[in-house]
Amino acid sequence: MTLTQEVYPDAPALAAAIAERLTGRIALIQAEGRRPKVVLTGGTIAIDAYELIESELVDWAAVDFYWGDERFVPEGHADRNDQQARDAFLDRLGVPASSIHSMPAHGCDLSTAEAADQYAAALPPEPFDVTLLGVGPDGHVASLFPGFAQLHESERRAVEVFDSPKPPPVRISLTYPAINNSDAVWFIVAGEGKADAVARALGDGTLEDTPARGAHGISETTWLLDESAASRL
């Protein structure tokens, strides 16, 4: 597994690089005759990147999209990562509903635990091609937070999360067994407020205090950073 870092001058340059890199990777996979499987993340830099994605080079209708975590709020709610991605690029590029594998929403008549298990059952058995992950100032990825028991889940591929330190408090998250079943994991991180977390993830730290340390790709782990996020490396 290769571990690389790429640093861009600022957040707009990083967003442009993410959009270009993701489009290029999907184009290569489709050129191989395969249907790409991509795990999306939420967050400002991700949405900025999604808004720059264009239709050229890629058949976006022939890509399967999943999510690393989701806020357990009603379908269509502005806080949901899937709704933000729809607004930013999925609807604009005509991605059909059959290609959008959203996590269950609040109001689905399932408990949060049942919703997590349902989503886990719908995940592909083969590795994802690319998993995008943001990193919080506390070092969390997806909705795997410092000190939470979910960091040590080794069997379930998706779990319920309560009392999230970042609102809303109830969420569903992929676990490391699912995240790390990805050919490539790309961390996308911008801003001075994330610099300490990036430094801990790539330097001295523990899984308990910096959950980002537990995520990696099968063949590739890449950190895509702006200069502010990389300032303490």
Side-chain angles (χ1 to χ4, degrees), residues 16-17 35 41 43 51 53 69 79 82 87 96 108 113 137 140 147 153 167 172 186 189 204 210 216 225:
R35 184 180 177 93
T41 186
E51 289 175 344
I53 290 175
D69 73 325
D79 281 346
D82 66 345
D87 293 343
C108 64
H140 82 266
E153 177 60 55
I172 297 172
W186 297 351
V189 195
D204 294 329
T210 312
H216 58 79
L225 310 165

Side-chain angles (χ1 to χ4, degrees), residues 1-228:
M1 187 270 292
T2 60
L3 174 63
T4 58
Q5 302 169 30
E6 297 181 12
V7 180
Y8 296 88
D10 52 28
L14 173 60
I18 294 165
E20 181 178 7
R21 185 185 183 96
L22 184 60
T23 301
R25 180 62 58 91
I26 291 174
L28 285 174
I29 294 166
Q30 290 185 337
E32 295 170 356
R34 296 192 295 112
R35 184 180 177 93
K37 299 176 292 298
V38 177
V39 178
L40 298 176
T41 186
T44 301
I45 193 63
I47 299 305
D48 288 348
Y50 300 158
E51 289 175 344
L52 297 174
I53 290 175
E54 299 296 341
S55 59
E56 291 82 3
L57 302 177
V58 166
D59 179 3
W60 292 100
V63 181
D64 283 311
F65 293 99
Y66 300 84
W67 275 266
D69 73 325
E70 188 56 272
R71 291 81 178 265
F72 199 58
V73 293
E75 183 177 352
H77 195 288
D79 281 346
R80 283 185 61 89
N81 290 329
D82 66 345
Q83 187 60 48
Q84 293 172 14
R86 290 173 188 273
D87 293 343
F89 83 115
L90 297 177
D91 289 348
R92 173 168 55 85
L93 298 182
V95 177
S98 59
S99 297
I100 301 173
H101 306 281
S102 297
M103 291 185 173
H106 184 270
C108 64
D109 296 327
L110 297 173
S111 70
T112 317
E114 291 169 338
D117 288 341
Q118 182 185 84
Y119 196 68
L123 297 175
E126 65 274 10
F128 299 114
D129 291 292
V130 179
T131 292
L132 302 179
L133 291 175
V135 178
D138 61 355
H140 82 266
V141 289
S143 284
L144 302 176
F145 294 100
F148 276 44
Q150 290 88 348
L151 298 178
H152 305 289
E153 177 60 55
S154 61
E155 300 295 331
R156 298 174 69 199
R157 300 177 72 195
V159 290
E160 64 279 8
V161 178
F162 300 106
D163 298 322
S164 162
K166 181 180 180 182
V170 182
R171 296 157 176 249
I172 297 172
S173 179
L174 297 188
T175 60
Y176 294 126
I179 291 170
N180 296 343
N181 188 36
S182 180
D183 184 62
V185 167
W186 297 351
F187 293 92
I188 56 174
V189 195
E192 174 68 23
K194 310 289 184 70
D196 279 343
V198 171
R200 293 197 312 273
L202 291 169
D204 294 329
T206 67
L207 181 70
E208 284 289 330
D209 67 28
T210 312
R213 293 177 65 88
H216 58 79
I218 296 168
S219 62
E220 174 194 345
T221 303
T222 300
W223 286 76
L224 303 172
L225 310 165
D226 70 356
E227 287 186 358
S228 294

